Amino acid sequence: MKKTRKITEEERDILLHMQLRSKLSLLVLFYIFGLILPFLTCMIITLNFKFFYLFIVALFLLFIIIFLIPKLEKNNYMQPGIEAFESEIVASQSHDLYYYVCEINGLDNVFIDHKYPVNTKLSKGTEVTVIMVEGKKKYKDYILLDKKTKKVLTDYRTRFDIIDC
């Protein structure tokens, strides 16, 4: 079993300066707006603004999901108890939704049954530092850093994203 360690100040600095990105892809956001905008259009055409507050609540919830939740997650990076461990890439391949996904070895040297979206295709055996922001059992919240270049590899950008925020 691999040993966990506390993250270094350099790794914490990388986490604090990495780009904020919502875990919702652009396709999901278009779908949400596709549900909200016809509702507003019908209100404008009929001039019946009785349910306008539902539109405002939906926009407010969308604002919270897109902007505030990633900022709150970034505040978690200041906690002193964040742990990390060294691992290696077991497999890396292209994906239908994300550009590339990879699988890593877990703490017990058995690969984790979760595919992590990454921004570049990685070769098998590449050493990474896995930062466990939310704890050992929350596999989807692991952040992967390249051990040599100290770059963040985890990226939720999809093939449907037109812009790079």
Side-chain angles (χ1 to χ4, degrees), residues 6-59:
K6 302 286 185 197
I7 63 171
T8 63
E9 287 301 317
E10 180 185 8
E11 292 168 343
R12 185 181 312 276
D13 209 31
I14 291 170
L15 287 179
L16 290 174
H17 288 54
M18 76 179 198
Q19 193 171 18
L20 283 179
R21 189 168 276 143
S22 174
K23 293 184 180 179
L24 293 178
S25 68
L26 195 61
L27 183 67
V28 173
L29 294 177
F30 280 147
Y31 179 74
I32 292 171
F33 276 119
L35 294 174
I36 293 174
L37 289 180
F39 183 67
L40 177 67
T41 306
C42 290
M43 282 191 297
I44 291 173
I45 290 172
T46 61
L47 296 175
N48 185 3
F49 294 102
K50 188 178 0 177
F51 298 107
F52 187 67
Y53 65 92
L54 287 176
F55 178 75
I56 298 300
V57 168
L59 282 180

Side-chain angles (χ1 to χ4, degrees), residues 71-86:
K71 284 192 182 271
L72 291 174
E73 286 180 0
K74 195 167 193 171
N75 288 340
N76 289 341
Y77 301 156
M78 292 301 294
Q79 293 177 355
I82 297 177
E83 294 183 335
F85 66 93
E86 309 300 324

Side-chain angles (χ1 to χ4, degrees), residues 23 94-101 117 155-159:
K23 293 184 180 179
S94 354
H95 193 259
D96 294 336
L97 185 63
Y98 298 107
Y99 288 107
Y100 300 103
V101 292
D155 193 4
Y156 289 100
R157 191 173 24 167
T158 66
R159 293 185 187 273

